[in-house]
Amino acid sequence: MKKGAVIDSLEITGISSEGKGVGRVNGQVVFVKETVPGDVVKAKVVGKKKKFLEAYAEELVEQSSERVEPFCEHFGLCGGCKWQHMTYDAQLKYKQGHVEENLRKLSGLELPEIMPILGSKETSFYRNKLEFTFSDFRWLTKEEIESGEEQVRTGLGFHIPKQFNKIVDINKCHLQPGPSNEIRLKVKAFADRHSVPFYNVKKQEGFLRNLVIRTASTGETMVILQVHYRDEELIQLMMDFIKNEFPQIASLMYVVNEKGNDSYSDLEVELFSGKDHILEQMGDLKFKIGPKSFYQTNSAQAHELYKIAADFADLKGDELVYDLYTGTGTIANFVARSAKKVVGIEYVEEAIEDAKINSEINGITNTDFYAGDMKDLLSNEFINTHGKPDVIITDPPRAGMHPRVTQLLADLKADRIVYVSCNPATQARDLEILGQSYNVVKIQPVDMFPQTAHVENVVLLKLKK
């Protein structure tokens, strides 16, 4: 079947881990975005690969019982909430299925029954951090183009998926609670009124680049304005406006970024007013969140995730715990009061400094934190110095653990490993290696990101006797 071909009646029978509907025609797999299992669509082929076709739905012939009307006006453009057209119960069902499929097919291990996925109480306005991009040449919708009217081309919003220079101007985002939407809209309107230049990523010119908004369960808000070059007059203009318009902002900062990309982890973030951090609360613990700090973006569900990890760890008070990929020490500090000692390892030095501060502000004295590349720092020499752990908690990035780290853990033979993952496919790969020494005894999926295909998964491994 060639590119451009039309399939008059394609039944969607499954959904991929990337969130696209899956159908079959003449035995060939067809991926169709923005469809739901149970839909029947008229589909046009837009891409042909060796093993599958890609298509989009020209017409919805028959609607699935699991389909709902998306609640966001930007659905289908910004790419942030690709499953808004699906009931939340269906989202949970398919996320559970993806965990099962990955672990059973890829790990090659004998697995226990997987526990039902833990859904999120909040399915909108649950994120604590969003990054918005300025553009002097925003994306126009089909309706705007067909209207024939002259359009304002400045935008402040999100990238269209896989298009670095295409920005959708966002009117209302349903991901982050207030005052996020109000700040973004008023900042853009003020910049437009005062003709402050918006960035053009292709030409790499313009002043306003990026707006980061962080909110916390404590009610505190942090705003970071990223600009392309140092113009003290424009910086003062923008920052004064934000400060005066939103006096509740606890931390107002800016960063001058002359690089070709928006990352500012290697740049100085300058404080304009307030504190250089905000505080997040989790149970009876407080966590310091700086402008470069990593923190789970769904605060309430992160608390549930960590409670599961602590339950799986089953600490009695006399254990030495290693917390790998500790970040700012959230899990390490969360379990520290139940352990003899916790050793946290993380490659980002700033995060380790935050982890130490988080222990300090919570009066926790039995944690040690070390910065370095995991595959180099976690060695037999390190273990001889700091002691062999009784329990290991690991929460690696999407790529999973380096093979050397995974093999070291298999050889180390701690009594228990709690593996927290945001990617069941790489988790399954790592479990295959850990299966040399461990049995998988518990599996608990957790939904951290409603309206998306992403899923977290917690696995408990116990040493084979």
Side-chain angles (χ1 to χ4, degrees):
M1 187 166 282
K2 295 180 180 178
K3 188 176 177 180
V6 174
I7 308 165
D8 289 323
S9 182
L10 177 67
E11 183 182 1
I12 305 301
T13 55
I15 199 151
S16 73
S17 57
E18 289 79 34
K20 294 179 181 178
V22 181
R24 289 181 182 274
V25 59
N26 301 327
Q28 192 165 24
V29 171
V30 187
F31 292 111
V32 190
K33 69 176 186 176
E34 293 172 31
T35 56
V36 177
D39 281 345
V40 177
V41 298
K42 180 181 178 182
K44 185 173 183 178
V45 177
V46 293
K48 185 176 182 181
K49 308 292 182 184
K50 191 173 181 180
K51 293 185 177 180
F52 62 88
L53 302 172
E54 291 180 319
Y56 74 91
E58 285 192 327
E59 181 185 334
L60 185 59
V61 177
E62 192 176 313
Q63 182 170 306
S64 167
S65 60
E66 295 176 336
R67 175 179 281 275
V68 291
E69 191 66 29
F71 50 78
C72 178
E73 63 189 274
H74 306 293
F75 175 77
L77 266 183
C78 89
C81 302
K82 293 180 180 177
W83 277 10
Q84 259 189 41
H85 61 314
M86 191 189 305
T87 67
Y88 189 53
D89 284 346
Q91 292 179 34
L92 295 178
K93 178 177 76 173
Y94 294 118
K95 291 184 188 199
Q96 176 98 15
H98 288 154
V99 171
E100 296 231 9
E101 184 178 13
N102 277 295
L103 263 58
R104 295 199 187 281
K105 279 189 175 180
L106 301 179
S107 74
L109 301 177
E110 187 177 327
L111 300 176
E113 184 177 349
I114 297 175
M115 291 184 277
I117 187 170
L118 178 67
S120 176
K121 288 180 182 176
E122 301 298 330
T123 58
S124 60
F125 302 110
Y126 60 81
R127 284 184 69 101
N128 56 41
K129 180 186 177 186
L130 284 178
E131 298 185 27
F132 303 101
T133 302
F134 291 90
S135 173
D136 71 345
F137 199 68
R138 71 173 177 88
W139 180 264
L140 295 181
T141 64
K142 185 180 178 184
E143 291 75 20
E144 286 175 322
I145 294 169
E146 290 176 348
S147 73
E149 299 173 4
E150 189 174 342
Q151 303 290 336
V152 174
R153 292 311 298 265
T154 56
L156 177 55
F158 297 125
H159 292 267
I160 286 181
K162 298 180 181 178
Q163 300 200 48
F164 78 99
N165 63 329
K166 302 291 193 298
I167 301 298
V168 180
D169 188 51
I170 299 295
N171 180 44
K172 180 179 181 179
C173 178
H174 296 258
L175 279 173
Q176 189 175 29
S180 178
N181 278 306
E182 191 182 357
I183 292 172
R184 185 191 65 258
L185 291 172
K186 288 195 172 182
V187 166
K188 180 184 183 295
F190 180 83
D192 278 334
R193 283 199 308 274
H194 291 79
S195 301
V196 182
F198 285 43
Y199 193 62
N200 184 301
V201 70
K202 275 193 169 180
K203 298 177 183 176
Q204 296 204 358
E205 60 186 31
F207 180 68
L208 297 170
R209 289 190 69 154
N210 195 270
L211 182 71
V212 179
I213 302 175
R214 302 188 83 146
T215 52
S217 60
T218 55
E220 292 188 326
T221 301
M222 173 186 285
V223 174
I224 308 162
L225 182 69
Q226 185 179 145
V227 299
H228 185 217
Y229 51 85
R230 188 170 292 281
D231 182 318
E232 296 297 349
E233 191 176 326
L234 285 180
I235 290 171
Q236 194 73 33
L237 177 73
M238 293 301 303
M239 301 307 280
D240 276 339
F241 169 75
I242 299 170
K243 178 185 176 182
N244 295 330
E245 191 70 22
F246 299 97
Q248 72 269 39
I249 291 173
S251 176
L252 180 57
M253 313 179 86
Y254 66 94
V255 57
V256 178
N257 181 3
E258 298 177 348
K259 301 186 303 176
N261 61 66
D262 286 339
S263 68
Y264 58 91
S265 59
D266 57 339
L267 301 174
E268 181 188 0
V269 181
E270 300 179 53
L271 180 65
F272 184 80
S273 68
K275 308 179 293 181
D276 64 355
H277 66 279
I278 56 177
L279 288 177
E280 183 60 81
Q281 183 98 28
M282 183 180 286
D284 63 349
L285 297 176
K286 282 188 168 69
F287 293 98
K288 178 186 174 185
I289 309 296
K292 300 178 184 179
S293 298
F294 171 79
Y295 192 79
Q296 284 278 8
T297 50
N298 183 341
S299 301
Q301 196 69 341
H303 192 191
E304 301 304 316
L305 180 75
Y306 295 160
K307 284 194 280 189
I308 291 165
D311 177 60
F312 280 17
D314 192 25
L315 301 174
K316 306 301 182 189
D318 59 350
E319 298 95 343
L320 172 61
V321 179
Y322 277 17
D323 181 29
L324 310 186
Y325 311 92
T326 190
T328 55
T330 43
I331 293 180
N333 285 299
F334 193 79
V335 303
R337 290 170 182 168
S338 302
K340 183 179 180 181
K341 187 175 183 180
V342 182
V343 174
I345 304 175
E346 166 64 40
Y347 73 95
V348 180
E349 285 193 26
E350 293 91 344
I352 285 297
E353 293 310 307
D354 281 345
K356 292 174 181 176
I357 291 168
N358 287 330
S359 286
E360 188 179 329
I361 63 178
N362 287 289
I364 294 169
T365 57
N366 62 332
T367 55
D368 284 334
F369 295 101
Y370 301 92
D373 190 314
M374 191 68 63
K375 71 180 189 308
D376 301 323
L377 186 58
L378 186 65
S379 62
N380 288 321
E381 184 182 353
F382 183 92
I383 293 158
N384 289 336
T385 302
H386 299 283
K388 179 184 172 182
D390 303 294
V391 177
I392 295 168
I393 300 173
T394 182
D395 186 4
R398 286 190 64 78
M401 296 190 289
H402 190 279
R404 272 174 28 201
V405 175
T406 316
Q407 190 60 56
L408 180 70
L409 298 190
D411 296 337
L412 184 56
K413 297 183 179 177
D415 185 60
R416 301 184 294 287
I417 296 177
V418 180
Y419 190 149
V420 182
S421 171
C422 58
N423 185 347
T426 54
Q427 184 182 44
R429 177 204 67 201
D430 294 345
L431 290 179
E432 185 177 14
I433 297 173
L434 294 172
Q436 299 166 13
S437 306
Y438 292 89
N439 291 315
V440 175
V441 295
K442 282 185 183 179
I443 304 170
Q444 175 65 71
V446 180
D447 184 23
M448 298 287 291
F449 305 105
Q451 319 304 340
T452 77
H454 298 296
V455 61
E456 298 262 339
N457 192 47
V458 190
V459 171
L460 172 62
L461 301 106
K462 286 191 175 180
L463 190 63
K464 292 177 180 177
K465 301 300 182 185

